[in-house]
RNA sequence: UGGGACGUCGCCAAGUCGGUAAGGCACGGGAUUUUGAUUCCCGCAUUCGAAGGUUCGAGUCCUUCCGUCCCAGCCA
């Protein structure tokens, strides 16, 4: 119902056209992370796009780990990635690894050599760089470029057998050293790395490069639409070159292996879209890693981190993230989205789903002097103002309450609607109270406000219709539960922390107030809730019971985000 | 004097075969409200990076120019 019509975008249009023309009977996509780090909100766009397109058109989407560089990858990440993808709400058709295809990829390399399209090159990395030329000058052919097929086959076999040292030789494609596109200047296909692989162990000591392995992986899996980000646009000619040289859907020498893996190959098309960027955040793996390693945040799942784990712990919902990404659209335009858009979707989602509770984050004592010491009353309050089916809860009310310190001011600014000396305010769900007295400590700080409750305005009575400017929330002091409450704010104080033109780095822009830990007073109904349960603490914001630290012995709530606050905005 | 891409409101983003600028967020104003929340109204680009040109008519076609991003890993 809240779903607006799905906005069309150029990739959906391509899929629509391909289906309409009969080019494909069904589509297949894949989400191909390298297991060398945690997923972040930027990845969520690719996940939603790939899984989303497949779901929308009854196709399939694989989760494929692009694990072609064993030096960087770790199985710890593959589990985390699987969990994050599922949390976001998606399920893969097949779970694969590029390394599942090492045999196929190797056979393809053999064909390239036999066809005179690849050669073993003895140049060192430095020499390759010299021969490559520059952006404006063409490169030169490697002196090993014209080796015969038999020699190449022999050398490549010996590379595979481990006869040569790391870095001493590569298998290179033979394309065009003069191409304006540097990716076409005889790119490396295989390098020697005598490193144990997280999935294949010590079976291989030569590993295929991304460009080569990725296209073969796409093709053997029968991926129809290979969606990736803009920086791979330059790689597409190489992607297509590989497909031209290696029609894996028609290579008899691949058949047994394809059958063994249950693969049905096809010719994929690579399509690039712009990545998701958000203001007030850094997204690079390097910087996120540094934040963790240097103790600037509490870990990969710190609620201030843009990792999916962090965002989850913060209390954002998968639905909100999906809506956010859907609304952002898919284009080839580089853009930076406002973080507030995401926050908006979170508020939208939580407003509808989160039950209301009362909690006081910065307590000030309020005593209702015309109530007896022993007064003990149980009120019934709605769990949700717009959804009766959410039921009601019991709320304890007594003579001494906690109210929010900022809801009382001795000298209020113009437009202040809350409690002031001699003024009236409504206690949510109770009635109208009038401030008769203010008690201060030796420093002159207010420690208690004393009020009288107007009995004719009690909730449910006709007198309750009497208008007062403000309504404030409260918690019965003697029934309150103290709980650790973490008030989060943005991690960075500037919109573009990556901008270092002024000589400052992202570290200089860390928001010193990105988290404030306080002891809040909660209403009793908040006792013993399950971790990850979300509530709106009325007038304060949305809060979630911490996924990790919250339990029966220690109650811990994280502020997901505040409510919109037009008063705070006006007061500025 | 390399190659590739992108430039429509503050941020995103629709704009079929050229026919006279959707929507969301933000922002401003108002109504409702026992959350200064939610909800609901109203307003918000004579203009599409710029300049020429073609045309009865151009964001959409042509030309030139300007700006931004990506590429010289045996990383992905």
């Amino acid at each position: 119902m809240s779903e607006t019509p799905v906005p069309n975008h150029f990739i959906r249009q391509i899929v629509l056209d391909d289906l309409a023309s009969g080019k494909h009977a069904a589509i297949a996509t894949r989400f191909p992370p390298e297991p060398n780090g945690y997923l972040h909100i930027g990845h969520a766009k690719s996940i939603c796009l790939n899984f989303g397109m497949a779901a929308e058109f009854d196709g399939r989407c694989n989760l494929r780990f692009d694990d072609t560089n064993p030096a960087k990858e770790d199985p710890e990440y593959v589990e985390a990635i699987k969990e994050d993808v599922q949390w976001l709400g998606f399920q893969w058709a097949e779970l694969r690894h590029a390394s599942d295809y090492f045999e196929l990829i190797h056979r393809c390399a053999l064909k390239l050599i036999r066809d005179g399209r690849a050669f073993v090159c003895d140049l060192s990395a430095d020499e390759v760089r010299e021969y490559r030329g520059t952006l404006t000058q063409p490169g030169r052919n490697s002196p090993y470029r014209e080796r015969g097929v038999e020699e190449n086959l022999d050398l490549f076999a010996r590379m595979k057998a481990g006869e040569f040292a790391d870095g001493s030789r590569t298998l290179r494609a033979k394309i065009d050293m003069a191409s304006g596109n540097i990716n076409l200047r005889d790119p490396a296909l295989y390098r020697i790395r005598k490193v144990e692989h997280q999935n294949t162990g010590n079976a291989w000591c030569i590993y295929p490069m991304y460009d080569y392995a990725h296209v073969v992986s796409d093709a053997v899996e029968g991926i129809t639409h290979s969606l990736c980000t803009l920086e791979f646009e330059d790689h597409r000619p190489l992607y297509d070159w590989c497909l031209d040289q290696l029609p894996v859907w028609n290579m008899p020498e691949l058949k047994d292996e394809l059958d063994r893996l249950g693969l049905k190959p096809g010719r994929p098309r690579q399509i690039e879209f712009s990545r998701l960027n958000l203001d007030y955040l850094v997204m690079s793996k390097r910087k996120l890693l540094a934040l963790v390693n240097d103790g600037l945040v509490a870990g990969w799942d710190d609620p201030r981190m843009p990792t999916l784990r962090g965002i989850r712990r913060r209390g954002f919902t998968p639905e909100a993230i999906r809506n956010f990404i859907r609304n952002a659209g898919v284009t080839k335009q580089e853009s930076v989205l406002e973080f507030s858009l995401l926050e908006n979707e979170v508020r939208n989602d939580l407003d509808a789903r989160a039950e209301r509770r009362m909690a006081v984050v910065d307590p000030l004592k309020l005593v209702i002097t015309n109530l007896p010491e022993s007064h003990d009353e149980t009120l019934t309050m709605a769990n949700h103002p717009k959804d009766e089916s959410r039921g009601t809860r019991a709320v304890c009310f007594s003579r001494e309450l906690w109210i929010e310190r900022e809801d009382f001011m001795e000298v209020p600014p113009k437009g202040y609607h809350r409690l002031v000396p001699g003024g009236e305010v409504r206690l949510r769900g109770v009635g109208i109270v009038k401030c008769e007295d203010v008690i201060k400590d030796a420093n002159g700080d207010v420690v208690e406000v004393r009020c009288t409750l107007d009995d004719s305005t009690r909730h449910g009575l006709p007198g309750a219709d009497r208008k007062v400017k403000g309504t404030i929330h409260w918690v019965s002091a003697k029934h309150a539960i103290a709980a650790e409450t973490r008030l989060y704010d943005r991690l960075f104080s500037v919109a573009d922390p990556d901008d270092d033109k002024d000589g400052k780095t992202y570290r200089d822009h860390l928001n010193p107030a990105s988290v404030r830990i306080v002891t809040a007073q909660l209403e009793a109904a908040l006792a013993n809730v399950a971790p990850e349960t979300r509530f709106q603490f009325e007038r304060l914001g949305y809060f979630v019971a911490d996924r990790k630290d919250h339990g029966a012995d220690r109650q811990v709530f994280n502020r997901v985000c505040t409510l919109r606050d037009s008063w705070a905005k006006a007061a500025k």
Side-chain angles (χ1 to χ4, degrees), chain A residues 206-239:
Chain A
I206 54 172
Y207 292 96
M209 299 291 293
Y210 163 83
D211 281 308
Y212 174 57
H214 196 260
V215 61
V216 174
S217 301
D218 280 346
V220 299
E221 280 182 22
I223 299 304
T224 55
H225 303 264
S226 179
L227 313 179
C228 63
T229 43
L230 249 30
E231 68 269 28
F232 292 104
E233 213 154 14
D234 288 343
H235 297 236
R236 183 158 23 100
L238 176 54
Y239 189 94

Short mmCIF file of all heavy atoms in Angstrom, two decimals, chain A residues 206-239:
data_model
loop_
_atom_site.label_atom_id
_atom_site.label_comp_id
_atom_site.label_asym_id
_atom_site.label_seq_id
_atom_site.Cartn_x
_atom_site.Cartn_y
_atom_site.Cartn_z
N ILE A 206 48.91 -21.20 -9.67
CA ILE A 206 48.67 -20.11 -10.61
C ILE A 206 47.21 -19.69 -10.44
O ILE A 206 46.33 -20.54 -10.26
CB ILE A 206 48.94 -20.51 -12.08
CG1 ILE A 206 48.13 -21.75 -12.46
CG2 ILE A 206 50.44 -20.70 -12.31
CD1 ILE A 206 48.20 -22.10 -13.94
N TYR A 207 46.97 -18.39 -10.43
CA TYR A 207 45.61 -17.90 -10.23
C TYR A 207 45.22 -16.92 -11.33
O TYR A 207 46.03 -16.07 -11.72
CB TYR A 207 45.50 -17.23 -8.86
CG TYR A 207 45.64 -18.23 -7.72
CD1 TYR A 207 46.88 -18.43 -7.11
CD2 TYR A 207 44.55 -18.99 -7.31
CE1 TYR A 207 47.02 -19.37 -6.08
CE2 TYR A 207 44.68 -19.92 -6.28
CZ TYR A 207 45.90 -20.11 -5.67
OH TYR A 207 46.04 -21.03 -4.68
N PRO A 208 44.00 -17.05 -11.84
CA PRO A 208 43.55 -16.17 -12.92
C PRO A 208 43.25 -14.77 -12.40
O PRO A 208 42.85 -14.59 -11.25
CB PRO A 208 42.27 -16.85 -13.41
CG PRO A 208 41.74 -17.56 -12.21
CD PRO A 208 42.95 -18.01 -11.43
N MET A 209 43.44 -13.79 -13.26
CA MET A 209 43.15 -12.40 -12.91
C MET A 209 41.65 -12.16 -12.97
O MET A 209 40.91 -12.85 -13.67
CB MET A 209 43.85 -11.46 -13.90
CG MET A 209 45.36 -11.59 -13.90
SD MET A 209 46.07 -10.97 -12.39
CE MET A 209 45.71 -9.23 -12.55
N TYR A 210 41.22 -11.10 -12.28
CA TYR A 210 39.80 -10.76 -12.24
C TYR A 210 39.14 -10.70 -13.61
O TYR A 210 38.12 -11.34 -13.86
CB TYR A 210 39.59 -9.42 -11.52
CG TYR A 210 38.23 -8.83 -11.79
CD1 TYR A 210 37.12 -9.22 -11.07
CD2 TYR A 210 38.04 -7.90 -12.83
CE1 TYR A 210 35.86 -8.72 -11.35
CE2 TYR A 210 36.79 -7.39 -13.12
CZ TYR A 210 35.70 -7.81 -12.39
OH TYR A 210 34.47 -7.32 -12.69
N ASP A 211 39.70 -9.89 -14.51
CA ASP A 211 39.06 -9.66 -15.81
C ASP A 211 38.75 -10.96 -16.54
O ASP A 211 37.69 -11.13 -17.12
CB ASP A 211 39.95 -8.78 -16.69
CG ASP A 211 39.84 -7.32 -16.30
OD1 ASP A 211 38.71 -6.81 -16.22
OD2 ASP A 211 40.90 -6.69 -16.05
N TYR A 212 39.73 -11.84 -16.47
CA TYR A 212 39.60 -13.10 -17.18
C TYR A 212 38.69 -14.08 -16.43
O TYR A 212 37.76 -14.66 -17.02
CB TYR A 212 41.01 -13.68 -17.36
CG TYR A 212 41.05 -15.04 -17.94
CD1 TYR A 212 40.47 -15.31 -19.18
CD2 TYR A 212 41.67 -16.09 -17.25
CE1 TYR A 212 40.51 -16.58 -19.72
CE2 TYR A 212 41.72 -17.36 -17.78
CZ TYR A 212 41.13 -17.61 -19.01
OH TYR A 212 41.16 -18.87 -19.53
N ALA A 213 38.91 -14.23 -15.15
CA ALA A 213 38.14 -15.19 -14.37
C ALA A 213 36.67 -14.79 -14.29
O ALA A 213 35.76 -15.62 -14.33
CB ALA A 213 38.71 -15.30 -12.96
N HIS A 214 36.43 -13.48 -14.19
CA HIS A 214 35.07 -13.02 -13.98
C HIS A 214 34.20 -13.27 -15.21
O HIS A 214 33.06 -13.73 -15.10
CB HIS A 214 35.08 -11.54 -13.62
CG HIS A 214 33.79 -11.07 -13.04
ND1 HIS A 214 32.84 -10.39 -13.77
CD2 HIS A 214 33.27 -11.21 -11.80
CE1 HIS A 214 31.80 -10.13 -12.99
NE2 HIS A 214 32.04 -10.61 -11.79
N VAL A 215 34.75 -13.00 -16.36
CA VAL A 215 33.95 -13.18 -17.57
C VAL A 215 33.69 -14.66 -17.82
O VAL A 215 32.59 -15.06 -18.20
CB VAL A 215 34.62 -12.50 -18.80
CG1 VAL A 215 35.98 -13.08 -19.08
CG2 VAL A 215 33.72 -12.63 -20.02
N VAL A 216 34.69 -15.51 -17.57
CA VAL A 216 34.47 -16.94 -17.77
C VAL A 216 33.44 -17.44 -16.75
O VAL A 216 32.55 -18.23 -17.08
CB VAL A 216 35.79 -17.74 -17.66
CG1 VAL A 216 35.51 -19.24 -17.73
CG2 VAL A 216 36.75 -17.33 -18.77
N SER A 217 33.54 -16.94 -15.53
CA SER A 217 32.57 -17.34 -14.50
C SER A 217 31.15 -16.96 -14.91
O SER A 217 30.22 -17.77 -14.80
CB SER A 217 32.92 -16.67 -13.16
OG SER A 217 34.22 -17.01 -12.74
N ASP A 218 31.00 -15.73 -15.35
CA ASP A 218 29.69 -15.27 -15.81
C ASP A 218 29.17 -16.18 -16.92
O ASP A 218 28.01 -16.61 -16.92
CB ASP A 218 29.78 -13.83 -16.35
CG ASP A 218 29.79 -12.78 -15.24
OD1 ASP A 218 29.47 -13.12 -14.09
OD2 ASP A 218 30.12 -11.62 -15.55
N ALA A 219 30.04 -16.45 -17.87
CA ALA A 219 29.62 -17.22 -19.05
C ALA A 219 29.24 -18.66 -18.68
O ALA A 219 28.21 -19.16 -19.12
CB ALA A 219 30.73 -17.22 -20.10
N VAL A 220 30.05 -19.32 -17.88
CA VAL A 220 29.73 -20.71 -17.56
C VAL A 220 28.48 -20.82 -16.69
O VAL A 220 27.75 -21.81 -16.76
CB VAL A 220 30.91 -21.46 -16.90
CG1 VAL A 220 32.11 -21.50 -17.87
CG2 VAL A 220 31.29 -20.86 -15.57
N GLU A 221 28.21 -19.80 -15.89
CA GLU A 221 27.00 -19.84 -15.06
C GLU A 221 25.76 -19.47 -15.85
O GLU A 221 24.65 -19.52 -15.34
CB GLU A 221 27.14 -18.85 -13.88
CG GLU A 221 27.94 -19.39 -12.73
CD GLU A 221 28.02 -18.41 -11.56
OE1 GLU A 221 27.15 -17.53 -11.45
OE2 GLU A 221 28.98 -18.52 -10.78
N GLY A 222 25.97 -19.04 -17.09
CA GLY A 222 24.82 -18.65 -17.90
C GLY A 222 24.21 -17.34 -17.45
O GLY A 222 23.01 -17.09 -17.61
N ILE A 223 25.04 -16.49 -16.87
CA ILE A 223 24.56 -15.16 -16.47
C ILE A 223 24.19 -14.40 -17.74
O ILE A 223 24.94 -14.39 -18.72
CB ILE A 223 25.69 -14.41 -15.72
CG1 ILE A 223 26.10 -15.16 -14.45
CG2 ILE A 223 25.26 -12.97 -15.41
CD1 ILE A 223 24.98 -15.46 -13.48
N THR A 224 23.01 -13.78 -17.73
CA THR A 224 22.59 -13.05 -18.93
C THR A 224 22.98 -11.58 -18.84
O THR A 224 23.37 -10.97 -19.82
CB THR A 224 21.06 -13.14 -19.12
OG1 THR A 224 20.42 -12.69 -17.91
CG2 THR A 224 20.66 -14.58 -19.41
N HIS A 225 22.87 -11.02 -17.63
CA HIS A 225 23.14 -9.61 -17.43
C HIS A 225 24.15 -9.48 -16.29
O HIS A 225 23.82 -9.75 -15.15
CB HIS A 225 21.87 -8.84 -17.12
CG HIS A 225 20.82 -8.99 -18.20
ND1 HIS A 225 20.66 -8.08 -19.22
CD2 HIS A 225 19.94 -9.98 -18.43
CE1 HIS A 225 19.70 -8.50 -20.03
NE2 HIS A 225 19.23 -9.65 -19.57
N SER A 226 25.35 -9.08 -16.65
CA SER A 226 26.41 -8.98 -15.68
C SER A 226 26.52 -7.52 -15.25
O SER A 226 27.10 -6.69 -15.95
CB SER A 226 27.73 -9.46 -16.30
OG SER A 226 28.78 -9.36 -15.37
N LEU A 227 25.92 -7.21 -14.11
CA LEU A 227 25.82 -5.82 -13.67
C LEU A 227 26.98 -5.45 -12.77
O LEU A 227 27.29 -6.14 -11.81
CB LEU A 227 24.49 -5.63 -12.93
CG LEU A 227 23.27 -6.23 -13.64
CD1 LEU A 227 22.00 -6.01 -12.81
CD2 LEU A 227 23.11 -5.63 -15.03
N CYS A 228 27.63 -4.35 -13.11
CA CYS A 228 28.78 -3.93 -12.30
C CYS A 228 28.85 -2.41 -12.29
O CYS A 228 28.07 -1.73 -12.94
CB CYS A 228 30.06 -4.53 -12.86
SG CYS A 228 30.44 -3.96 -14.51
N THR A 229 29.80 -1.89 -11.55
CA THR A 229 29.88 -0.44 -11.41
C THR A 229 30.72 0.20 -12.51
O THR A 229 31.47 -0.47 -13.23
CB THR A 229 30.42 -0.07 -10.02
OG1 THR A 229 31.51 -0.92 -9.70
CG2 THR A 229 29.34 -0.24 -8.97
N LEU A 230 30.57 1.51 -12.59
CA LEU A 230 31.13 2.31 -13.67
C LEU A 230 32.62 2.12 -13.96
O LEU A 230 33.05 2.20 -15.11
CB LEU A 230 30.89 3.78 -13.34
CG LEU A 230 29.90 4.59 -14.18
CD1 LEU A 230 28.77 3.73 -14.74
CD2 LEU A 230 29.31 5.73 -13.35
N GLU A 231 33.41 1.88 -12.92
CA GLU A 231 34.85 1.80 -13.18
C GLU A 231 35.22 0.61 -14.05
O GLU A 231 36.34 0.52 -14.53
CB GLU A 231 35.65 1.80 -11.87
CG GLU A 231 35.47 0.56 -11.02
CD GLU A 231 34.33 0.70 -10.03
OE1 GLU A 231 33.38 1.45 -10.31
OE2 GLU A 231 34.39 0.04 -8.96
N PHE A 232 34.28 -0.29 -14.29
CA PHE A 232 34.58 -1.43 -15.14
C PHE A 232 34.17 -1.20 -16.59
O PHE A 232 34.27 -2.09 -17.43
CB PHE A 232 33.90 -2.69 -14.60
CG PHE A 232 34.49 -3.14 -13.29
CD1 PHE A 232 33.82 -2.91 -12.10
CD2 PHE A 232 35.74 -3.74 -13.25
CE1 PHE A 232 34.37 -3.29 -10.89
CE2 PHE A 232 36.30 -4.13 -12.04
CZ PHE A 232 35.62 -3.91 -10.85
N GLU A 233 33.72 0.00 -16.85
CA GLU A 233 33.31 0.32 -18.21
C GLU A 233 34.46 0.09 -19.19
O GLU A 233 34.29 -0.46 -20.27
CB GLU A 233 32.87 1.79 -18.24
CG GLU A 233 31.77 2.07 -19.20
CD GLU A 233 30.95 3.28 -18.78
OE1 GLU A 233 31.41 4.03 -17.90
OE2 GLU A 233 29.88 3.47 -19.36
N ASP A 234 35.65 0.53 -18.78
CA ASP A 234 36.85 0.37 -19.60
C ASP A 234 37.23 -1.09 -19.81
O ASP A 234 38.02 -1.41 -20.68
CB ASP A 234 38.05 1.03 -18.92
CG ASP A 234 37.96 2.54 -18.96
OD1 ASP A 234 37.17 3.05 -19.78
OD2 ASP A 234 38.68 3.19 -18.19
N HIS A 235 36.69 -1.94 -18.95
CA HIS A 235 37.06 -3.35 -19.03
C HIS A 235 36.14 -4.11 -19.98
O HIS A 235 36.43 -5.25 -20.34
CB HIS A 235 37.00 -4.00 -17.65
CG HIS A 235 37.98 -3.41 -16.67
ND1 HIS A 235 38.91 -4.16 -16.01
CD2 HIS A 235 38.17 -2.12 -16.26
CE1 HIS A 235 39.63 -3.36 -15.22
NE2 HIS A 235 39.18 -2.12 -15.35
N ARG A 236 35.03 -3.48 -20.34
CA ARG A 236 34.05 -4.19 -21.15
C ARG A 236 34.62 -4.69 -22.48
O ARG A 236 34.31 -5.82 -22.90
CB ARG A 236 32.80 -3.35 -21.38
CG ARG A 236 31.75 -4.08 -22.16
CD ARG A 236 30.32 -3.55 -21.97
NE ARG A 236 30.25 -2.19 -21.53
CZ ARG A 236 30.00 -1.15 -22.34
NH1 ARG A 236 29.80 -1.35 -23.63
NH2 ARG A 236 29.92 0.06 -21.84
N PRO A 237 35.48 -3.92 -23.18
CA PRO A 237 36.07 -4.44 -24.41
C PRO A 237 36.87 -5.73 -24.18
O PRO A 237 36.87 -6.63 -25.02
CB PRO A 237 36.97 -3.30 -24.88
CG PRO A 237 36.34 -2.07 -24.31
CD PRO A 237 35.81 -2.50 -22.97
N LEU A 238 37.50 -5.81 -23.04
CA LEU A 238 38.25 -7.03 -22.72
C LEU A 238 37.28 -8.17 -22.40
O LEU A 238 37.49 -9.32 -22.79
CB LEU A 238 39.19 -6.77 -21.53
CG LEU A 238 39.98 -7.96 -20.99
CD1 LEU A 238 40.76 -8.66 -22.10
CD2 LEU A 238 40.92 -7.52 -19.87
N TYR A 239 36.22 -7.81 -21.69
CA TYR A 239 35.17 -8.78 -21.36
C TYR A 239 34.62 -9.39 -22.65
O TYR A 239 34.51 -10.61 -22.79
CB TYR A 239 34.08 -8.03 -20.60
CG TYR A 239 32.98 -8.86 -19.95
CD1 TYR A 239 33.08 -9.25 -18.62
CD2 TYR A 239 31.83 -9.20 -20.66
CE1 TYR A 239 32.05 -9.97 -18.01
CE2 TYR A 239 30.81 -9.92 -20.07
CZ TYR A 239 30.92 -10.30 -18.74
OH TYR A 239 29.90 -11.02 -18.14
#
